[in-house]
Amino acid sequence: MTTASSAARSSAQASDPFSIPFDERIKEALDNKTLKIAIDRTTNNARDKRAAAVAAWPGFAEARTLGKSIKQHVIDHLDHYLVEFEANALRSGAKVHWASTSDEACAIVIDLCRKAGAKSVTRAKSMLGEEIGLPHALEDAGITRVETDLAEHIVQLAHDRPSHIIWPALHRTREEVAELFRANHHKPQNSDDIESMVASAREELRGRFLAADVGISGANFLIADSGAICTVTNEGNAELTTTIPRVHIVTAGIEKLVPSLSHAMVLLRLLVRSATGADLTQYTTFHCGPKRRGDRDGPEEFHIVLVDNGRTKMRNEGLADMLRCLRCGACMNHCVVFRQIGGHAYGGAYPGPMGSVMTPIFNGLEKSHDLPQACTLNGSCQEVCPVDIPLPTLLRGWREKSWREGLEPQIVRQSLGFWAFGARHPFLYHIGTRLAVRGMRLFAKGGWIRSLPLASGWTRHRDFPKPAPRTFMEEWNQQQRLKAKG
Ligand code: SF4
């Protein structure tokens, strides 16, 4: 690919990732050897740390059951807790705004920024912001956006998209980040070690924190009985974003509600262990309304934008389980597909198994019906999910819908129709599998099949082991005959 066409492709992918077919996005990811190194470094580490944290917590299974029931209770009584949260947030001095769609949410935030006369805003990492397209909306409105989370800062410098919900710059190696900082920071450090790079980012961002007119954050939990919001970060950037500017805007999905602080604490323990394997994040902060008389710091205005953007639809259309999601990222760290292709190939704001369930809601099934198909249904995502979301079942639901709506390519529909016919006629099926097994063996060399006619899409990136000489049924029948003979 030429440099010009590659640049055109990157820009097409940045503006609409779905403009490039899914199989091409996958191929691009699989061909990128640096990406695989970057994914392995982070996800292997995350898996090990999560496993150790769970092993060290004897009450994990009970907490998981409790966490699931807390979230499910809130989803089942969402109308009650939303009203309670709003009343308490207003009492604390916050202003509450409601947005049904991503466009409405962005319009509210832009309007608040304009009313505040904001030229520059700082943002603490928020996946909801990515979901609703807030970074682009701010840029289109001519407002300077400063991403303050270290990984988001990297993503912004590289004009990239986040590729993981916990580690947005997971797709970049340390070496690439060092290069990026050298090219973009005003006073880059000479050394490539992590401490020096962090110091360089800190130096770069410090003045921006102080200069921002508005700070925008997300929320990990909305606490109904106090109207408070809770943010968890590891870098303290959320505190600088929410405390220094005169105006603080929180954007949060309506499913982030919990009844009380004690419920939030149960979920917090599950979230942090599942996300990073730590006992607690470095910073867990509760914000309740604007600065009061006598307070030394805090915003003068505190706005909370409660966003639906398809959540009510999810609740009403068989995807209510998904609203339990804590955004811990464990499902993607354990997903055999994510660990090969990374996050960008998924196209939506949320990658991995949880992204494959949610993207059809946000971007439409027509654009994203390939995602639920790109799943082995091995169940490891559900096994590690701290709130037991049945991701494989939800993905199967999308597959069925996409079949009913005729979204699969004709060749797939015909092949499956052919297979279904065979499966209903056992005699034909046995003959077919016998022939297929024997035929495949002809293409094996040294115990492996490296290319196969009509299956080049499969063999391009992986080899098949040579099939056994006989099918399972042939072997089974043989065993039965031997047994009968005694
Ligand atoms: S689906 Fe479960 S494992 Fe995946 S991000 Fe959400 S809470 Fe975590």
Side-chain angles (χ1 to χ4, degrees), residues 167-476:
W167 296 282
L170 165 143
H171 54 287
R172 297 256 163 210
T173 60
R174 176 159 57 96
E175 297 76 11
E176 287 174 327
V177 174
E179 193 56 42
L180 203 57
F181 282 8
R182 266 195 290 276
N184 291 280
H185 280 176
H186 291 93
K187 291 188 205 159
Q189 309 271 320
N190 285 328
S191 165
D192 285 2
D193 70 72
I194 289 176
E195 267 183 41
S196 303
M197 288 197 281
V198 171
S200 180
R202 183 179 290 132
E203 168 90 25
E204 189 75 14
L205 289 171
R206 185 62 56 161
R208 309 284 199 97
F209 281 118
L210 298 171
D213 306 297
V214 171
I216 304 175
S217 74
N220 291 87
F221 303 107
L222 303 168
I223 301 170
D225 70 352
S226 62
I229 68 148
C230 170
T231 56
V232 288
T233 66
N234 274 313
E235 296 161 22
N237 60 307
E239 286 61 33
L240 291 170
T241 301
T242 57
T243 312
I244 299 174
R246 201 175 58 75
V247 178
H248 176 199
I249 304 172
V250 181
T251 55
I254 53 175
E255 84 286 9
K256 295 283 179 178
L257 282 163
V258 289
S260 70
L261 184 58
S262 56
H263 295 102
M265 296 315 285
V266 173
L267 295 167
L268 201 53
R269 296 182 80 191
L270 287 165
L271 166 65
V272 180
R273 282 168 174 83
S274 304
T276 62
D279 290 342
L280 205 59
T281 40
Q282 305 296 331
Y283 298 90
T284 302
T285 307
F286 297 88
H287 309 261
C288 197
K291 178 158 93 172
R292 293 173 188 82
R293 190 178 302 167
D295 284 353
R296 289 168 64 100
D297 49 32
E300 288 164 25
E301 285 179 35
F302 187 90
H303 298 271
I304 304 169
V305 185
L306 295 172
V307 183
D308 186 314
N309 198 32
R311 284 157 175 79
T312 306
K313 191 169 178 229
M314 287 169 79
R315 183 172 177 251
N316 297 340
E317 294 186 7
L319 291 170
D321 287 324
M322 197 63 234
L323 295 173
R324 294 202 298 271
C325 180
L326 302 177
R327 308 286 192 268
C328 73
C331 56
M332 49 200 80
N333 299 336
H334 290 76
C335 171
V336 287
V337 178
F338 179 92
R339 294 177 64 220
Q340 295 300 318
I341 64 175
H344 286 161
Y346 286 84
Y350 301 102
M354 54 85 86
S356 298
V357 174
M358 297 205 292
T359 305
I361 286 284
F362 301 135
N363 298 83
L365 187 58
E366 201 165 335
K367 274 187 175 180
S368 58
H369 64 95
D370 288 317
L371 300 182
Q373 302 288 352
C375 171
T376 63
L377 300 178
N378 67 22
S380 57
C381 49
Q382 180 172 359
E383 242 168 68
V384 297
C385 176
V387 280
D388 191 23
I389 296 177
L391 292 151
T393 308
L394 300 180
L395 288 168
R396 269 202 303 272
W398 277 130
R399 287 185 183 187
E400 283 165 25
K401 187 155 198 258
S402 138
W403 183 267
R404 281 197 306 275
E405 294 186 3
L407 296 174
E408 305 315 329
Q410 207 50 31
I411 179 81
V412 173
R413 297 183 73 83
Q414 280 166 353
S415 309
L416 281 175
F418 187 62
W419 181 86
F421 179 79
R424 285 196 303 269
H425 299 83
F427 177 70
L428 284 180
Y429 188 84
H430 291 315
I431 301 243
T433 48
R434 265 183 228 179
L435 288 174
V437 162
R438 282 161 180 81
M440 283 170 72
R441 286 176 61 83
L442 298 176
F443 292 90
K445 281 195 192 108
W448 291 94
I449 300 173
R450 298 184 204 285
S451 80
L452 203 57
L454 304 178
S456 59
W458 180 274
T459 52
R460 193 182 303 138
H461 292 287
R462 55 183 89 65
D463 300 332
F464 266 128
K466 183 178 179 179
R470 289 186 299 187
T471 65
F472 174 79
M473 287 310 296
E474 286 177 295
E475 189 63 36
W476 173 262

